[in-house]
Amino acid sequence: MLFHSSLRKELSRSFGATLVVLVTIVMTMMLIRTLGLAAKGSVDPAEVFLVMTYTVLGYMPTILSLSLFVSIVGTLSRMYRDSEMIIWFSSGRGLTDFIQPLFRFAWPVLLLIAVLSLVGWPWANSQTQGMRDQYERRGDIDRVAPGEFQESSGRNRVFFIDKDTANGTVASNVFISSIERNRQIITSARSGKVESINDTRYLMLSNGQRLERPLDKTGLKISEFDTYGAKTGSNVAASADNTPARARTTMALLANPTPVFRAELAWRIGMLLAAINFVLLALGVSSVNPRVGRSGNLLFALFAFVIYYNMLNLGQGWVGSGRVSASIFLLMLHGGVFVLALLWLAKRHNNWGLRAPRPAPASIPTA
């Protein structure tokens, strides 16, 4: 059908262009953010591109929703501006007749949003969290670069080595400053090497000196040693499961109905419901005066998207704190927006107005 095919072709072009632009912007922002995390030591510099890819993949449901919303608003606004909508209306097409072709175009995108929200989002977060945890749990000696002062994983030690061997197991001119049991301890040695004792890595220092001083500066103890072992890492993983809710699978959230998990589940389901509402909202807000540019509609669409998305995140916090249940939150936010979109669409379709009816003209009495 000419009506459906022409509309879907233009929507496809607009959606593709919008998606490319948004993905480029988000990738640039995530690259800057990831480089900042790598500079602070939170992310392995060798895995910057991989972390950025996982992060962008996690944000794809939001990017797809915004691309779909903007493409529909832009396409319909252009049709209003070029008087194409008047032609369709004159041929017997009403505004509600656009619902079917819009959803026929949008259903693959909505399906992809559902898959990415329920499966892709937790998987990408779990991969990113795993890489960050593995990088944080690396041994202290792995953090040390020759000629640089580096902190340990617990932020209670500072390491410095003059130079090391090619395999990174032997170092010379080692300096360690730490705070243990309310004492400041400074250890220096001519050389050190990494050894594994009971599956735990130790830095074995040779020919060095150890200085201990209480933090209240009440005394000073100096000792010399031929061999001294300093623990540089632990192989013991955390006993408690500290995996954040956003990195857990949807099935895990359903199996453990805590408020925090319910909030995360409501957010994932809400992304799909919001995308559906955006299709109806786009049809309602796309009207434009042919004498005025369509930039006002796009700005209003972006403003509506920001408010809706922020309400989604705000409601997640409310559900997580126990202030409201997940079902009530989904019903109030998404159900309310759905009803508002239908009322707006009905007003536009039936040309409802708020102006009072004009009084009938008075009749002129005849002689």
Side-chain angles (χ1 to χ4, degrees), residues 94-154:
L95 195 61
T96 56
D97 292 326
F98 284 82
I99 296 179
Q100 181 180 357
L102 287 180
F103 275 102
R104 289 187 63 180
F105 163 77
W107 77 262
V109 182
L110 297 177
L111 180 61
L112 184 58
I113 291 174
V115 173
L116 290 175
S117 298
L118 299 177
V119 180
W121 164 260
W123 180 81
N125 287 324
S126 64
Q127 296 297 316
T128 305
Q129 188 68 30
M131 288 188 296
R132 296 183 65 173
D133 291 343
Q134 183 179 2
Y135 187 65
E136 286 293 331
R137 287 196 301 266
R138 72 194 191 280
D140 292 337
I141 197 63
D142 296 330
R143 299 171 179 264
V144 180
E148 297 181 3
F149 289 90
Q150 296 288 341
E151 284 186 329
S152 64
S153 58

Side-chain angles (χ1 to χ4, degrees), residues 170-183:
V170 179
S172 62
N173 297 330
V174 181
F175 172 85
I176 303 175
S177 176
S178 62
I179 297 178
E180 301 176 8
R181 298 185 297 273
N182 295 325
R183 293 182 301 171

Side-chain angles (χ1 to χ4, degrees), residues 197-226:
I197 302 176
N198 296 328
D199 294 331
T200 302
R201 300 180 69 189
Y202 286 86
L203 177 60
M204 304 304 296
L205 305 177
S206 302
N207 301 324
Q209 188 180 66
R210 181 180 173 90
L211 185 148
E212 299 182 17
R213 182 177 62 177
L215 295 180
D216 55 4
K217 301 181 181 181
T218 56
L220 182 64
K221 179 181 178 181
I222 301 177
S223 59
E224 296 182 354
F225 57 84
D226 293 332

Side-chain angles (χ1 to χ4, degrees), residues 29-51:
M29 295 174 59
M30 290 301 104
L31 178 60
I32 297 174
R33 177 185 175 187
T34 308
L35 289 176
L37 293 175
K40 293 188 296 185
S42 300
V43 175
D44 188 356
E47 298 176 343
V48 168
F49 182 77
L50 193 58
V51 173

